[in-house]
């Protein structure tokens, strides 16, 4: 919103400057348009600075959003600028609509997938005649976790398989080393021989992200 207001402000300032300072091959500009003021006909050039600015800002919003307004271009310079603003509004508007549509579609697909999984789970519990108390607990936990945003792990990124083994090990050590160094023993190993600790990260460390009510240790 702030970006849109700032852009409209800049366009309004340029539009006002065109009306006041640009060469007028037709002998008139948008500031020469007359309007009724206290029963008299006056031009925008003769009106207050606040009315001039608000009118220019209104025109800027109308052009950038492909809207309509009573003020229009009166000479070649103003018309060229108006065409450029309309093209800008068309491009930006199309981009914004595309992004909103893509976001909405992604949200709908994710919601449809959650609904499908929930329905499949309910059918599974009913088919196997799971008692009501346990069935409710299972459904509640699944629904709660489906709504949660999970942590992205390496298993979620198959594109990492495209990396060379050296670069993949370097990435793994970059992620793991800060955690290992917090341990006294590994902190000492890091000071004495960091290469060995890098090998440990690459070959012997795997992240596990337990959720609420998960069992950490099972006998």
């Amino acid at each position: 919103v702030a970006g849109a207001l700032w852009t409209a402000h800049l366009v309004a300032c340029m539009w006002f400057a065109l009306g006041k300072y640009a060469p007028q091959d037709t002998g008139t500009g948008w500031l020469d348009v007359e309007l009724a003021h206290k029963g008299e006909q006056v031009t925008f050039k003769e009106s207050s600075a606040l009315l001039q600015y608000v009118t220019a800002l209104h025109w800027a919003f109308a052009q950038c959003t492909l809207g309509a307004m009573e003020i229009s271009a009166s000479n070649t310079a103003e018309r060229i600028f108006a065409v450029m603003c309309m093209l800008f509004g068309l491009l930006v508007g199309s981009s914004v609509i595309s992004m909103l549509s893509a976001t909405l579609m992604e949200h709908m697909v994710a919601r449809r997938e959650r609904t499908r999984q929930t329905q499949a789970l309910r059918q599974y519990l009913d088919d196997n005649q799971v008692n009501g108390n346990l069935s409710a607990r299972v459904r509640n936990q699944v629904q709660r976790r489906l709504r949660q945003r999970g942590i992205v792990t390496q298993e979620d990124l198959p594109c990492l398989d495209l990396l060379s083994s050296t670069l993949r090990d370097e990435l793994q050590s970059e992620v793991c080393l800060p955690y290992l160094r917090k341990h006294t023993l590994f902190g000492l190993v890091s000071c004495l021989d960091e290469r060995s600790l890098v090998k440990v990260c690459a070959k012997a460390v795997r992240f596990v992200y337990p959720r609420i009510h998960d069992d950490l240790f099972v006998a």
Side-chain angles (χ1 to χ4, degrees):
V1 176
L5 290 174
W6 179 247
T7 301
H9 168 74
L10 293 178
V11 172
C13 292
M14 289 186 285
W15 177 245
F16 175 78
L18 277 175
K20 190 170 184 179
Y21 302 110
Q24 301 175 353
D25 54 353
T26 60
T28 184
W30 76 269
L31 286 174
D32 297 317
V33 175
E34 293 185 344
L35 72 158
H37 180 69
K38 296 181 180 180
E40 299 180 357
Q41 291 296 115
V42 297
T43 63
F44 279 104
K45 190 177 296 184
E46 299 169 336
S47 60
S48 65
L50 177 61
L51 179 60
Q52 292 174 354
Y53 173 74
V54 173
T55 303
L57 187 64
H58 184 187
W59 182 91
F61 274 114
Q63 297 301 306
C64 294
T65 58
L66 303 181
M69 188 188 178
E70 70 274 11
I71 300 298
S72 60
S74 301
N75 54 61
T76 303
E78 292 178 357
R79 198 164 297 279
I80 291 175
F81 184 71
V83 171
M84 293 173 60
C85 289
M86 292 182 69
L87 288 174
F88 174 78
L90 180 62
L91 293 175
V92 173
S94 301
S95 300
V96 171
I97 292 174
S98 299
M99 289 189 296
L100 291 177
S101 300
T103 303
L104 181 60
M105 286 299 299
E106 183 179 351
H107 175 72
M108 291 177 62
V109 169
R111 185 174 182 179
R112 188 181 299 117
E113 177 62 19
R114 289 197 301 268
T115 302
R116 186 193 65 79
Q117 293 187 32
T118 303
Q119 291 175 346
L121 174 64
R122 184 180 295 111
Q123 182 178 353
Y124 170 80
L125 296 173
D126 292 341
D127 291 346
N128 290 275
Q129 298 180 355
V130 179
N131 71 77
N133 183 29
L134 177 58
S135 176
R137 287 161 51 202
V138 170
R139 289 200 306 269
N140 289 338
Q141 188 172 100
V142 168
Q143 291 175 355
R144 184 168 58 251
R145 294 190 174 187
L146 284 175
R147 289 193 296 267
Q148 292 175 351
R149 181 179 178 273
I151 297 176
V152 179
T153 64
Q154 291 187 1
E155 287 74 14
D156 300 323
L157 299 171
C159 59
L160 293 181
D161 295 335
L162 301 175
L163 298 177
S164 64
S165 58
T166 303
L167 188 57
R168 189 163 57 247
D169 292 347
E170 185 179 347
L171 175 62
Q172 176 74 357
S173 62
E174 181 72 18
V175 174
C176 297
L177 280 177
Y179 297 97
L180 291 181
R181 288 192 181 116
K182 293 179 181 179
H183 193 280
T184 305
L185 175 61
F186 291 120
L188 180 60
V189 172
S190 176
C191 294
L192 298 176
D193 186 7
E194 187 165 345
R195 287 187 177 181
S196 298
L197 197 59
V198 169
K199 291 181 180 179
V200 171
C201 292
K203 305 299 182 183
V205 175
R206 184 172 66 90
F207 281 95
V208 177
Y209 301 96
R211 300 191 183 190
I212 298 176
H213 304 304
D214 279 353
D215 296 323
L216 291 178
F217 304 102
V218 179

